[in-house]
Amino acid sequence: TSGHTCGCSPSYGVSADGCWLLSGGHWDHTLRATLLSSPETCVHAQQHTSVITCLDVGSDGVSVVTGSVDTSLVVWSLYRSTPIPAGAIPAPRPTYILTGHRTGLLCVAISTQVDVVLSGAAPDSSVHSRIVPGSGIARGIAPGAAAVNERSVNERSCAIWCPSTGRFVRWLPLAGTPSAVAISHSGSGLLVASSAPGTELANAADAETPNGP
């Protein structure tokens, strides 16, 4: 695709119903949805302020999560609940903006079965989060970042989130730089590959109770 650049992780995916090719990596920072049965039909949605570097599609057929060089994650809804005028094509709608990573996102995964998003960024990232409503989009932010110990920041490249509420859940300590993240089909396990030897594993059940800020 013209104007498409790839980050660490794939920045494209197919909707659960097989109708749409979703792609990031575009020069205008948009998430694009291309109708596979009619490739000339493409809708753009913009929320990020820099290029999308990673993307994952939820199995519920509605949820998509993107990560960007701008250090934020956006949870999108593919289909609006309100009626659409005849002949109109709905663009993906942002529902939550998750911020707190200090560097650009490298990889992201979503499981709608267990309501978990797993994100990975460069080693000097940190995430604390609270939700601030505004303009119809809930926003997770990182208050008091200056108080975070630099050593602990370097050990907290990965974050676990609850996509249905936009809530930060907890850190997933990691040695090295994350290169890929995944959530098992059953939703029982989290997998992180990194530049350090070995692979980090965690139990998704641990994501059910958020840690305090």
Side-chain angles (χ1 to χ4, degrees), residues 22-24 29-32 45-58 62-78 91-101 104-110 116-120 136-140 161-167:
L22 300 154
S23 62
H29 316 155
T30 56
L31 172 64
R32 299 187 185 182
Q46 188 166 19
Q47 184 63 51
H48 288 290
T49 58
S50 192
V51 67
I52 292 172
T53 51
C54 50
L55 176 156
D56 197 24
V57 182
V62 175
S63 304
V64 178
V65 62
T66 55
S68 170
V69 173
D70 67 12
T71 75
S72 73
L73 295 151
V74 176
V75 181
W76 306 80
S77 176
L78 282 182
R93 177 176 59 89
T95 55
Y96 291 100
I97 302 168
L98 312 176
T99 63
H101 281 292
L105 273 296
L106 300 177
C107 43
V108 67
I110 183 171
V116 168
V117 163
L118 177 61
S119 60
I137 303 173
R139 188 177 295 265
W161 310 80
C162 177
S164 65
T165 62
R167 188 186 78 232

Side-chain angles (χ1 to χ4, degrees), residues 73 75 96-101 115-119 125-132 138-143 148 156-173 206-213:
L73 295 151
V75 181
Y96 291 100
I97 302 168
L98 312 176
T99 63
H101 281 292
D115 201 19
V116 168
V117 163
L118 177 61
S119 60
S125 331
S126 77
V127 179
H128 294 282
S129 183
R130 60 189 176 87
I131 301 302
V132 178
R139 188 177 295 265
I141 66 172
V148 178
R156 295 172 178 175
S157 303
C158 293
I160 300 172
W161 310 80
C162 177
S164 65
T165 62
R167 188 186 78 232
F168 168 69
V169 177
R170 72 174 179 91
W171 308 103
L172 184 63
D206 295 338
E208 294 178 359
T209 303
N211 287 351

Side-chain angles (χ1 to χ4, degrees), residues 145-209:
V148 178
N149 179 276
E150 284 302 319
R151 183 174 179 181
S152 66
V153 166
N154 290 336
E155 295 173 353
R156 295 172 178 175
S157 303
C158 293
I160 300 172
W161 310 80
C162 177
S164 65
T165 62
R167 188 186 78 232
F168 168 69
V169 177
R170 72 174 179 91
W171 308 103
L172 184 63
L174 177 72
T177 301
S179 57
V181 294
I183 303 170
S184 67
H185 290 298
S186 66
S188 62
L190 308 176
L191 176 69
V192 181
S194 79
S195 58
T199 301
E200 301 285 339
L201 295 170
N203 192 324
D206 295 338
E208 294 178 359
T209 303

